[in-house]
Amino acid sequence: MTAGNRLARFASCEDFRRAAQRRLPRILFDYLDGGAGGETTMAANIADLERTGLEPRALRDVSSRTLDGTFLGVRHAMPVMLGPVGSLGLFRAGSEAAAFRAAHRAGVSACLSSFAVTRPEDLPQGSGSDAFQLYVLKDRGRTQAILERVARAGFGTLFVTVDTAVSGIRERDLRNGLRRITRPDLRILADLASHPRWCMERLRHGLPAMMLAEGWPEAGGTYLEQAAFLAGQIDPAFDRDGLCWLRARWRGRLVVKGILCAQDARIAVDCGADAVVVSNHGGRQLDGARSTIRALPEVAEAVSGRAEILFDGGIRRGGDVLKALLNGADACLLGRAYAYALAGAGEEGLTVFLRLLAAELDAAAALCGITSLDGIAKDRRNGLKPPGAGATDSANA
Ligand SMILES: Cc1cc2nc3c(=O)[nH]c(=O)nc-3n(C[C@H](O)[C@H](O)[C@H](O)COP(=O)(O)O)c2cc1C
């Protein structure tokens, strides 16, 4: 069967998730799939989006429709962006460049994680709103050097992630012994051996290294050692003054990722953020935090008009994107959804997934009587209720 035929049978994010589960050793799949603690926040992101209804509208002319719209200063084919996902290069060789290529092909942009394997200089250039995601480090000289490198590489947008003062504790990773993967015990060896396709690819391409750790010999020699080193360098003292420090040093667009309440959103915007991302890191940090779709209206009300509002957490279908827009977002970031597609079915799989997402978004909008997604934000700014909103069983009711 050709790759095209095989992929034609993929009809949802869950299909790609299962493909990723089959292809990846369990230790890596659980790292991608799992969340912090009892994973209640991770589950709530999805469950609350499912509970958020859409209101169908009839007797409207929806024969001419468009999904495109402007956010982060650039016109996108749909209000979607690939968010920062670390370790993509561990799931499949070349995944970060593949993600950028697939995003550009779909008319959207992508964000490179600090935990990436691929150097920012080596990524394909897109339409102008591709972004780099930064963690502010205790060593501000090192942070400044990263900013300069990323600006030289041509990135105009910086995402600074602010919900990782300390690392979330992920039970699946502890149980699986993720940190021991380079010194594997029998259980890990058996896991690796039962995924020969992944092992063969790793043997062909060699073990990856973290691109930021180039020139940091004290970070260690393997990706996981380097990732642990970087995690330990993230500054837990990073606060409002730190954000103002960063704003003064980054000339491009600044996006603050990891906002879950109005007060933090106002601080970010007062410090000069151009946009905030309503995010709880996909439930990978504070288990017990509320779902992002619940937090979104409060943040939108606090800063809408002063900054753009991006949203992530639990987006698996086009209808989820529409729900986020109707609750105050200007655009959505994908996290696990696109990583499943890449890990399970490669670049072609991600292209198919993005096409599927666009088709679902188009159908959902049309059935809600919406012909332009840009119109949703306009209606909101004018205090009008857009069609499609007014959900039956809203998470925010
Ligand atoms: C495996 C994995 C790695 C991630 N790495 C990063 C990262 O390096 N930086 C960051 O800001 N967020 C990171 N995130 C969080 C995502 O950017 C995003 O907030 C989250 O995945 C959204 O939730 P969803 O996966 O349910 O869509 C990561 C998420 C996953 C699943």
Side-chain angles (χ1 to χ4, degrees), residues 28 31-34 42 45-46 83-88 91 112-116 133-135 159-164 170 257 277-284 312-316 333-340:
L28 286 183
Y31 168 71
L32 165 59
D33 193 57
M42 181 178 94
N45 280 346
I46 291 178
V85 171
S87 318
L88 276 183
F91 305 140
L112 185 72
S113 159
S114 269
F115 284 89
Q133 176 268 322
L134 176 85
Y135 290 107
F159 280 52
V160 59
T161 299
V162 297
D163 57 6
T164 51
R170 301 176 196 142
K257 175 173 182 284
V277 187
V278 176
S279 175
N280 53 30
H281 220 99
R284 296 167 73 80
D312 77 20
I315 300 278
R316 302 290 181 267
L333 305 185
L334 302 178
R336 291 181 187 85
Y338 87 89
Y340 294 141

Side-chain angles (χ1 to χ4, degrees), residues 334-389:
L334 302 178
R336 291 181 187 85
Y338 87 89
Y340 294 141
L342 263 181
E347 182 173 341
E348 225 178 312
L350 178 52
T351 295
V352 169
F353 175 67
L354 290 173
R355 221 179 279 140
L356 194 62
L357 194 83
E360 290 170 346
L361 178 56
D362 178 54
L367 294 171
C368 288
I370 297 168
T371 53
S372 156
L373 299 183
D374 256 358
I376 297 177
K378 253 177 240 144
D379 279 356
R380 219 175 47 231
R381 277 194 295 275
N382 294 331
L384 300 172
K385 185 180 138 190

Side-chain angles (χ1 to χ4, degrees), residues 108-268:
V108 300
S109 42
C111 180
L112 185 72
S113 159
S114 269
F115 284 89
V117 168
T118 312
R119 306 169 74 238
E121 299 81 2
D122 296 339
L123 284 167
Q125 293 290 322
S127 55
S129 75
D130 284 334
F132 179 82
Q133 176 268 322
L134 176 85
Y135 290 107
V136 172
L137 308 181
K138 293 172 201 163
D139 181 339
R140 292 297 157 86
R142 202 165 249 181
T143 309
Q144 170 101 36
I146 298 171
L147 291 179
E148 287 163 11
R149 177 178 178 182
V150 166
R152 266 198 313 275
F155 286 82
T157 300
L158 187 78
F159 280 52
V160 59
T161 299
V162 297
D163 57 6
T164 51
V166 300
S167 298
I169 295 173
R170 301 176 196 142
E171 292 175 13
R172 294 200 219 181
D173 295 348
L174 288 177
R175 216 170 280 126
N176 291 336
L178 180 69
R179 296 257 168 252
R180 294 193 308 274
I181 194 171
T182 46
R183 286 168 281 114
D185 58 17
L186 274 179
R187 206 163 58 107
I188 296 176
L189 283 174
D191 180 22
L192 297 179
S194 57
H195 294 87
R197 273 193 304 158
W198 181 86
C199 292
M200 291 304 291
E201 193 201 67
R202 275 282 66 106
L203 284 175
R204 257 200 325 276
H205 293 273
L207 285 178
M210 222 180 63
M211 59 82 189
L212 271 190
E214 280 172 11
W216 299 356
E218 71 278 29
T222 66
Y223 177 88
L224 283 181
E225 282 168 351
Q226 293 162 344
F229 178 84
L230 178 61
Q233 297 303 304
I234 297 173
D235 189 1
F238 182 66
D239 61 2
R240 176 198 290 256
D241 292 342
L243 186 55
C244 292
W245 173 90
L246 181 65
R247 176 68 283 183
R249 277 155 190 81
W250 178 256
R251 293 227 181 89
R253 227 172 232 97
L254 183 64
V255 181
V256 177
K257 175 173 182 284
I259 294 294
L260 217 55
C261 69
Q263 205 180 357
D264 288 352
R266 281 194 206 97
I267 292 174

Side-chain angles (χ1 to χ4, degrees), residues 35-120:
E39 302 186 342
T40 52
T41 294
M42 181 178 94
N45 280 346
I46 291 178
D48 287 347
L49 263 172
E50 280 171 358
R51 270 196 288 272
T52 302
L54 290 168
E55 194 170 83
R57 298 299 302 266
L59 297 173
R60 288 171 172 249
D61 178 357
V62 292
S63 55
S64 169
R65 308 182 296 276
T66 171
L67 299 181
D68 65 356
T70 300
F71 64 94
L72 299 181
V74 171
R75 198 121 195 111
H76 292 79
M78 59 177 160
V80 166
M81 181 170 179
L82 305 189
V85 171
S87 318
L88 276 183
L90 240 57
F91 305 140
R92 188 186 280 270
S95 279
E96 283 131 1
F100 272 62
R101 279 192 302 269
H104 298 162
R105 212 176 292 126
V108 300
S109 42
C111 180
L112 185 72
S113 159
S114 269
F115 284 89
V117 168
T118 312
R119 306 169 74 238

